[in-house]
Amino acid sequence: MPDLLIELFSEEIPARMQARAREDLKKLVTDGLVEAGLTYASAGAFSTPRRLALAVEGLTAHSPTTREERKGPRTDAPEAALQGFLRSTGLSKDQLEARDDKKGQVWFAVIQKPGRPASEIVAEVLEAAIRNFPWPKSMRWGAGSLRWVRPLHSIICLLSDESGATVVPFQVEGIAAGNTTRGHRFMAPGAFTVSGFDDYAAKLRRAKVMLDSHEREAAIRQEAANLAFARGWEIVPDEGLLSEVAGLVEWPVALMGAIEDRFLSLPPEVLQTSMKEHQKFFSARNPKTGRIEGFVTVANIETPDHGETILKGNQRVLAARLSDAAFFWDNDLREARAGMATWAEGLKSVTFQSKLGSQADRVARIAALAREIAPLVGADPDQAEDAAKIAKLDLRSAMVGEFPELQGTMGRYYALEAGKDAAVADAARDHYSPLGPSDAVPTAPVSVTVALADKLDTLTGFWAIDEKPTGSKDPFALRRAALGVIRLVLGNGVRVKLRGVLSESYFQLLDSRQSFEQKTFYIAALPEKVQDDLTYYHFAVSSLVRNAREAREMDIKEADWGLQNLDLDSPVIAVTGAKKLAKFRAGRINDEEGKPAYPSLNAVATDLLAFLHDRLKVYLRDQGIRHDIIDAVLSMPGNDDLVLLVNRATALNDVLKTEDGTNLLQGLKRAGNILAQAEDKDGVEYSFGADPKFAETDQERALFAALDKAEPAIREAVRLEDFQAATQGIATLRAPIDAFFEAVQINTDNQVLRRNRLNLLSRIREAGRLIADFGKIEG
């Protein structure tokens, strides 16, 4: 069985494209070979800045001969049907076979495809792969039509076995496949021939080319660590930069330099970011001082002076770059020490989103929301509001303008220079977190508060303007924001009713983006019985009170809305009064003028909470909790308290992993199914009246006794939110439920007994519903 070697040699491939290109080449070629009938033992793809390579081992030498039988129309079918069948098979009528079938004779086509040699198939597959390669960006050169990431110079395509190597003959746009490649551009530019993968890899190494990107990464990591150790330093880990640099060189040579003393006072994040973004340098930290004092650059060539000239040139460029950073830093410090008022004013001219206002508008909303959330998180409301007001100010700084990735990080430095409390400054840094699944979750109360307010404002804002994620598209990273909310709440055990917080966030948006007349329409749509639903709207009360006060300031006659003695400090009266005012105002405003620009509060809160629940399912699935278990607890009261919800789900998940839990689930589902069928048939709900005096069997009496004991214990455990105890309590019903179903006929002819037993099943169902809707759990 032959082995296949492919190399596509070109000008430099951008480092960011190499990993994907390796996988694409492997997939395109191996999929094509398999579709053509060939098999292989293994395949490996490689890349350097100037080449993509693929090695396929154990390739079959020929594709097998195939035989396919295809049934056609009846022999007496119309001619048009026969001709269509012949066209689909590529045969003539005399090549068909007439066979007996259930409904008479039918034409059959026997199609045989002879096997083909591997070289013929490889040539077709590789040419198609080259012509259809999915580069993110590609170019044409010369007079040809071929598109490649950079001009393609040569192609190696070899099949080798015990008898030797053979070039697979084909060409693409005048580039013929061969067995020749080149080594390092400067240290070994000459051409050489290869006879197989092992020979290819060995000759490349002699020609100063490390073929494997992982080997280059390991070499860079080790050389940099050795150079740093010699100076008593340590390399700041950066796997992304390591991968990028390994894609820039074919023969890595690490060189170490020191940063000039005049730049050592710059924040370490500034030094690291400047060196990484501008020059692809690794930062070296002095563990004794905690400062970044040196750097490692990776050259692509060995020089007689051991890189001294290269290093001097890099240090000159680095000095210029860090001089710019020092200039930005000094200017920003002056503004920070002056109170950052200019930056705050500048945010008014920075649009966050055309329908959601400026960054200044957004900051005002986040600050108001943070003040409301702070008590729930255990943060000081004044500090939370102050932190939210300064969190975005560094967006106007020169340093963040140059290095956007430092937003938040620089905000902390500037806040401290402005004399802010450390907790406020830390919140300015942390409020973007967590940015992704691997990012740490803030734990300081003020940081958690501002981070939650920031993400909730983003979600409610984009929900209000109907810019929700669709399919794989999420241009505003709303899924990430939702996951951030989930991780902040769960990671810090924040007991918060999200529906209420979402309502407050939405009202902040309305306050900032709509006129008083427009807002009256939203208030008018609130429930009539506000007294019964204050928990739902407790965050909205402050906004409604503001509306009522605003109405007084507008000199609306109190008699017009029926509350001459309005007590604005009473939530119930404030809400009721604002609703009456809203109805009064809505009747006097022209529909076109007063029609709200955003959807209703209930629609936004409900839909957004469902979105958060969907994200929670994904998050918990990675932690081993099934989606159907989440669905089962979502139907319970308090499903907008994520900590409560997850505690329920975790306890339920744990008990269902046991044998008792599995059998209990079947019993609960069986009870629910029998009840549903009986209720549907009888047109009544069996939900009360089970009486032990009608129990005929010991198993019935035992189940009554077990329920009498378990139900109070489960209710108390649920009240105390001890869901482990609650699930253990319901698990004790497993044995009596099993015994009951084994011994008792539910649908007996005696209607008294039947009703009593159905009502007993209802008690089983209701005991389960104290914890979750077991009917939503699969199997």
Side-chain angles (χ1 to χ4, degrees), residues 344 347-348 352 356-372 384-393 450 453-454 457 504-505 507-513 546:
L347 287 182
K348 295 179 180 179
F352 170 62
L356 298 176
S358 67
Q359 283 285 7
D361 295 331
R362 184 164 184 251
V363 165
R365 296 196 299 266
I366 294 172
L369 183 58
R371 187 170 191 86
E372 299 292 341
E385 183 178 10
D386 192 23
K389 286 180 177 178
I390 68 165
K392 305 289 185 184
L393 294 184
V450 182
D454 177 67
D457 177 77
E504 171 63 13
S505 179
F507 270 103
Q508 294 297 340
L509 174 66
L510 299 183
D511 280 347
S512 68
R513 299 299 296 163
R546 286 194 295 272

Side-chain angles (χ1 to χ4, degrees), residues 1-16:
M1 302 176 79
D3 296 332
L4 173 64
L5 171 64
I6 295 170
E7 184 202 63
L8 305 173
F9 183 80
S10 67
E11 294 297 327
E12 275 72 5
I13 304 168
R16 68 182 183 278

Side-chain angles (χ1 to χ4, degrees), residues 57-183:
E57 295 183 346
L59 190 68
T60 48
H62 291 81
S63 63
T65 298
T66 60
R67 185 178 187 275
E68 177 189 1
E69 290 191 358
R70 194 179 303 176
K71 183 179 179 181
R74 289 170 46 140
T75 55
D76 58 354
E79 183 65 20
L82 177 61
Q83 292 303 318
F85 180 61
L86 293 174
R87 285 194 298 272
S88 70
T89 60
L91 302 179
S92 60
K93 184 176 180 179
D94 59 350
Q95 292 176 298
L96 301 181
E97 295 180 12
R99 298 181 186 175
D100 291 331
D101 194 58
K102 294 179 182 179
K103 297 182 180 180
Q105 285 200 320
V106 174
W107 291 117
F108 272 82
V110 179
I111 305 170
Q112 287 192 334
K113 293 182 179 179
R116 295 193 297 160
S119 59
E120 184 179 326
I121 294 172
V122 167
E124 289 180 3
V125 168
L126 184 54
E127 180 178 358
I130 293 172
R131 292 190 181 278
N132 300 296
F133 204 85
W135 292 110
K137 291 185 178 180
S138 59
M139 61 179 291
R140 289 189 294 110
W141 62 96
S145 61
L146 178 65
R147 300 191 68 90
W148 200 248
V149 63
R150 296 290 185 270
L152 185 63
H153 291 316
S154 65
I155 300 171
I156 290 178
C157 190
L158 283 179
L159 282 172
S160 55
D161 55 21
E162 296 82 359
S163 61
T166 304
V167 173
V168 176
F170 80 98
Q171 64 176 14
V172 180
E173 298 292 335
I175 305 172
N179 61 353
T180 303
T181 189
R182 293 179 179 272

Side-chain angles (χ1 to χ4, degrees), residues 531-548:
Q531 300 92 323
D532 298 335
D533 209 8
L534 274 181
T535 301
Y536 184 95
Y537 289 108
H538 69 285
F539 279 111
V541 168
S542 61
S543 180
L544 297 175
V545 169
R546 286 194 295 272
N547 278 280

Side-chain angles (χ1 to χ4, degrees), residues 339-538:
M340 302 184 282
T342 303
W343 291 348
E345 185 66 23
L347 287 182
K348 295 179 180 179
S349 62
V350 179
T351 300
F352 170 62
Q353 206 279 344
S354 60
K355 296 179 181 179
L356 298 176
S358 67
Q359 283 285 7
D361 295 331
R362 184 164 184 251
V363 165
R365 296 196 299 266
I366 294 172
L369 183 58
R371 187 170 191 86
E372 299 292 341
I373 295 175
L376 304 172
V377 184
D380 180 82
D382 292 333
Q383 284 192 334
E385 183 178 10
D386 192 23
K389 286 180 177 178
I390 68 165
K392 305 289 185 184
L393 294 184
D394 66 343
L395 295 175
R396 298 294 294 171
S397 68
M399 189 69 77
V400 173
E402 179 70 12
F403 301 113
E405 57 269 41
L406 289 179
Q407 58 187 304
T409 299
M410 300 311 300
R412 178 180 180 277
Y413 285 108
Y414 300 144
L416 291 173
E417 290 294 334
K420 299 294 183 181
D421 187 86
V424 172
D426 288 346
R429 176 195 61 198
D430 298 337
H431 81 280
Y432 291 106
S433 298
L435 288 173
S438 59
D439 194 22
V441 176
T443 56
V446 177
S447 297
V448 173
T449 299
V450 182
L452 274 173
D454 177 67
K455 292 166 179 59
L456 289 170
D457 177 77
T458 298
L459 289 167
T460 53
F462 283 102
W463 245 251
I465 62 174
D466 199 27
E467 290 285 357
K468 306 171 189 175
T470 56
S472 61
K473 295 181 180 179
D474 187 11
F476 304 109
L478 300 181
R479 292 188 179 96
R480 186 175 70 185
L483 182 58
V485 170
I486 291 167
R487 293 185 64 202
L488 284 163
V489 169
L490 298 182
N492 292 282
V494 178
R495 300 303 301 272
V496 57
K497 296 286 188 180
L498 278 177
R499 188 181 286 275
V501 178
L502 293 171
S503 301
E504 171 63 13
S505 179
Y506 194 50
F507 270 103
Q508 294 297 340
L509 174 66
L510 299 183
D511 280 347
S512 68
R513 299 299 296 163
Q514 292 201 293
S515 68
F516 174 72
E517 286 83 356
Q518 289 172 321
K519 285 184 286 186
T520 58
F521 280 87
Y522 296 97
I523 301 167
L526 292 178
E528 290 296 332
K529 295 183 179 180
V530 182
Q531 300 92 323
D532 298 335
D533 209 8
L534 274 181
T535 301
Y536 184 95
Y537 289 108
H538 69 285

